[in-house]
mmCIF file of all heavy atoms in Angstrom:
data_model
loop_
_atom_site.group_PDB
_atom_site.id
_atom_site.type_symbol
_atom_site.label_atom_id
_atom_site.label_comp_id
_atom_site.label_asym_id
_atom_site.label_seq_id
_atom_site.Cartn_x
_atom_site.Cartn_y
_atom_site.Cartn_z
ATOM 1 N N MET A 1353 65.269 100.262 259.824
ATOM 2 C CA MET A 1353 63.985 100.586 259.186
ATOM 3 C C MET A 1353 64.223 101.294 257.863
ATOM 4 O O MET A 1353 65.107 102.131 257.739
ATOM 5 C CB MET A 1353 63.183 101.520 260.095
ATOM 6 C CG MET A 1353 62.699 100.814 261.326
ATOM 7 S SD MET A 1353 62.025 102.018 262.450
ATOM 8 C CE MET A 1353 62.253 101.112 263.979
ATOM 9 N N THR A 1367 48.845 118.089 242.334
ATOM 10 C CA THR A 1367 48.134 119.361 242.340
ATOM 11 C C THR A 1367 49.141 120.489 242.494
ATOM 12 O O THR A 1367 50.251 120.287 242.975
ATOM 13 C CB THR A 1367 47.140 119.441 243.515
ATOM 14 O OG1 THR A 1367 47.859 119.246 244.732
ATOM 15 C CG2 THR A 1367 46.043 118.402 243.411
ATOM 16 N N SER A 1390 40.845 128.676 232.548
ATOM 17 C CA SER A 1390 41.103 128.861 231.115
ATOM 18 C C SER A 1390 42.296 128.037 230.651
ATOM 19 O O SER A 1390 42.459 127.787 229.461
ATOM 20 C CB SER A 1390 41.324 130.343 230.813
ATOM 21 O OG SER A 1390 42.471 130.804 231.491
ATOM 22 N N GLY A 1392 42.807 124.913 231.885
ATOM 23 C CA GLY A 1392 42.485 123.496 232.041
ATOM 24 C C GLY A 1392 42.684 122.940 233.431
ATOM 25 O O GLY A 1392 42.649 121.730 233.637
ATOM 26 N N GLY A 1393 42.895 123.788 234.426
ATOM 27 C CA GLY A 1393 43.047 123.301 235.798
ATOM 28 C C GLY A 1393 41.697 123.018 236.435
ATOM 29 O O GLY A 1393 40.677 123.589 236.035
ATOM 30 N N THR A 1435 49.709 138.229 238.872
ATOM 31 C CA THR A 1435 49.861 138.688 240.260
ATOM 32 C C THR A 1435 50.613 140.011 240.295
ATOM 33 O O THR A 1435 50.310 140.864 241.137
ATOM 34 C CB THR A 1435 50.565 137.615 241.119
ATOM 35 O OG1 THR A 1435 51.813 137.262 240.514
ATOM 36 C CG2 THR A 1435 49.705 136.378 241.234
ATOM 37 N N GLN A 1460 65.914 115.731 275.014
ATOM 38 C CA GLN A 1460 64.597 115.095 275.066
ATOM 39 C C GLN A 1460 64.209 114.571 273.687
ATOM 40 O O GLN A 1460 64.283 115.296 272.702
ATOM 41 C CB GLN A 1460 63.559 116.095 275.550
ATOM 42 C CG GLN A 1460 63.790 116.504 276.993
ATOM 43 C CD GLN A 1460 62.498 116.888 277.676
ATOM 44 O OE1 GLN A 1460 61.519 116.131 277.645
ATOM 45 N NE2 GLN A 1460 62.473 118.052 278.260
ATOM 46 N N CYS A 1463 59.595 114.425 270.795
ATOM 47 C CA CYS A 1463 59.142 115.007 269.520
ATOM 48 C C CYS A 1463 59.869 114.369 268.344
ATOM 49 O O CYS A 1463 59.279 114.111 267.300
ATOM 50 C CB CYS A 1463 59.359 116.525 269.519
ATOM 51 S SG CYS A 1463 58.179 117.415 270.562
ATOM 52 N N PRO A 1480 62.266 113.429 255.754
ATOM 53 C CA PRO A 1480 63.351 113.770 256.671
ATOM 54 C C PRO A 1480 64.672 113.376 256.041
ATOM 55 O O PRO A 1480 64.806 112.263 255.514
ATOM 56 C CB PRO A 1480 63.051 112.909 257.900
ATOM 57 C CG PRO A 1480 62.291 111.742 257.371
ATOM 58 C CD PRO A 1480 61.510 112.243 256.190
ATOM 59 N N VAL A 1481 65.652 114.278 256.066
ATOM 60 C CA VAL A 1481 66.930 113.965 255.418
ATOM 61 C C VAL A 1481 68.114 114.055 256.372
ATOM 62 O O VAL A 1481 69.182 113.515 256.074
ATOM 63 C CB VAL A 1481 67.181 114.874 254.193
ATOM 64 C CG1 VAL A 1481 66.185 114.532 253.081
ATOM 65 C CG2 VAL A 1481 67.080 116.353 254.561
ATOM 66 N N ASN A 1486 72.855 118.949 269.512
ATOM 67 C CA ASN A 1486 73.988 119.424 270.310
ATOM 68 C C ASN A 1486 74.367 118.431 271.399
ATOM 69 O O ASN A 1486 75.174 118.743 272.268
ATOM 70 C CB ASN A 1486 73.691 120.808 270.906
ATOM 71 C CG ASN A 1486 72.455 120.802 271.795
ATOM 72 O OD1 ASN A 1486 71.506 120.072 271.510
ATOM 73 N ND2 ASN A 1486 72.449 121.611 272.838
ATOM 74 N N HIS A 1487 73.756 117.259 271.352
ATOM 75 C CA HIS A 1487 74.124 116.176 272.260
ATOM 76 C C HIS A 1487 74.256 114.897 271.434
ATOM 77 O O HIS A 1487 73.556 114.739 270.432
ATOM 78 C CB HIS A 1487 73.057 115.974 273.348
ATOM 79 C CG HIS A 1487 72.984 117.115 274.303
ATOM 80 N ND1 HIS A 1487 73.911 117.332 275.284
ATOM 81 C CD2 HIS A 1487 72.094 118.139 274.417
ATOM 82 C CE1 HIS A 1487 73.606 118.414 275.967
ATOM 83 N NE2 HIS A 1487 72.502 118.933 275.462
ATOM 84 N N PRO A 1488 75.099 113.965 271.855
ATOM 85 C CA PRO A 1488 75.289 112.757 271.042
ATOM 86 C C PRO A 1488 74.230 111.681 271.287
ATOM 87 O O PRO A 1488 74.220 110.660 270.601
ATOM 88 C CB PRO A 1488 76.662 112.255 271.504
ATOM 89 C CG PRO A 1488 76.786 112.741 272.917
ATOM 90 C CD PRO A 1488 76.031 114.037 272.995
ATOM 91 N N VAL A 1521 75.570 121.859 256.939
ATOM 92 C CA VAL A 1521 74.839 120.583 256.930
ATOM 93 C C VAL A 1521 73.484 120.749 256.241
ATOM 94 O O VAL A 1521 73.093 119.952 255.381
ATOM 95 C CB VAL A 1521 74.633 120.058 258.373
ATOM 96 C CG1 VAL A 1521 73.630 118.909 258.397
ATOM 97 C CG2 VAL A 1521 75.964 119.624 258.975
ATOM 98 N N VAL A 1531 62.943 121.807 261.610
ATOM 99 C CA VAL A 1531 62.017 121.598 262.725
ATOM 100 C C VAL A 1531 62.805 121.527 264.030
ATOM 101 O O VAL A 1531 63.665 120.648 264.186
ATOM 102 C CB VAL A 1531 61.197 120.309 262.527
ATOM 103 C CG1 VAL A 1531 60.255 120.097 263.710
ATOM 104 C CG2 VAL A 1531 60.417 120.375 261.226
ATOM 105 N N PHE A 1558 51.337 127.686 276.570
ATOM 106 C CA PHE A 1558 50.420 128.388 275.684
ATOM 107 C C PHE A 1558 50.869 129.841 275.632
ATOM 108 O O PHE A 1558 50.413 130.677 276.377
ATOM 109 C CB PHE A 1558 48.948 128.243 276.100
ATOM 110 C CG PHE A 1558 48.640 128.448 277.560
ATOM 111 C CD1 PHE A 1558 48.156 129.652 278.046
ATOM 112 C CD2 PHE A 1558 48.806 127.410 278.454
ATOM 113 C CE1 PHE A 1558 47.868 129.824 279.385
ATOM 114 C CE2 PHE A 1558 48.517 127.566 279.809
ATOM 115 C CZ PHE A 1558 48.048 128.784 280.272
ATOM 116 N N GLY A 1575 50.280 127.899 289.559
ATOM 117 C CA GLY A 1575 49.074 127.158 289.924
ATOM 118 C C GLY A 1575 47.995 127.210 288.865
ATOM 119 O O GLY A 1575 46.807 127.246 289.175
ATOM 120 N N THR A 1587 61.676 133.316 265.235
ATOM 121 C CA THR A 1587 62.182 134.619 264.807
ATOM 122 C C THR A 1587 63.292 135.003 265.773
ATOM 123 O O THR A 1587 63.531 134.309 266.768
ATOM 124 C CB THR A 1587 61.068 135.687 264.850
ATOM 125 O OG1 THR A 1587 60.521 135.719 266.166
ATOM 126 C CG2 THR A 1587 59.971 135.371 263.857
ATOM 127 N N ILE A 1596 51.489 129.088 264.768
ATOM 128 C CA ILE A 1596 50.834 128.209 263.793
ATOM 129 C C ILE A 1596 49.738 127.387 264.458
ATOM 130 O O ILE A 1596 48.649 127.231 263.930
ATOM 131 C CB ILE A 1596 51.875 127.259 263.140
ATOM 132 C CG1 ILE A 1596 53.028 128.073 262.529
ATOM 133 C CG2 ILE A 1596 51.216 126.368 262.094
ATOM 134 C CD1 ILE A 1596 54.229 127.225 262.127
ATOM 135 N N ALA A 1601 45.808 121.318 277.848
ATOM 136 C CA ALA A 1601 45.289 120.139 278.562
ATOM 137 C C ALA A 1601 45.076 120.531 280.009
ATOM 138 O O ALA A 1601 45.779 121.385 280.542
ATOM 139 C CB ALA A 1601 46.277 118.980 278.462
ATOM 140 N N LEU A 1619 51.167 116.914 274.547
ATOM 141 C CA LEU A 1619 50.738 118.114 273.825
ATOM 142 C C LEU A 1619 51.796 118.548 272.807
ATOM 143 O O LEU A 1619 51.471 118.878 271.669
ATOM 144 C CB LEU A 1619 50.528 119.274 274.797
ATOM 145 C CG LEU A 1619 49.238 119.362 275.568
ATOM 146 C CD1 LEU A 1619 49.298 120.550 276.517
ATOM 147 C CD2 LEU A 1619 48.046 119.522 274.624
ATOM 148 N N PHE A 1646 44.974 127.997 256.544
ATOM 149 C CA PHE A 1646 43.833 127.534 255.748
ATOM 150 C C PHE A 1646 43.603 126.039 255.976
ATOM 151 O O PHE A 1646 44.537 125.282 256.165
ATOM 152 C CB PHE A 1646 44.081 127.805 254.269
ATOM 153 C CG PHE A 1646 43.890 129.252 253.901
ATOM 154 C CD1 PHE A 1646 44.935 129.994 253.383
ATOM 155 C CD2 PHE A 1646 42.673 129.877 254.078
ATOM 156 C CE1 PHE A 1646 44.774 131.319 253.031
ATOM 157 C CE2 PHE A 1646 42.497 131.212 253.726
ATOM 158 C CZ PHE A 1646 43.554 131.942 253.206
#
Side-chain angles (χ1 to χ4, degrees):
Chain A
M1353 290 170 205
T1367 57
S1390 63
T1435 55
Q1460 294 209 52
C1463 286
V1481 292
N1486 59 325
H1487 292 285
V1521 168
V1531 179
F1558 46 98
T1587 56
I1596 305 168
L1619 279 177
F1646 284 119

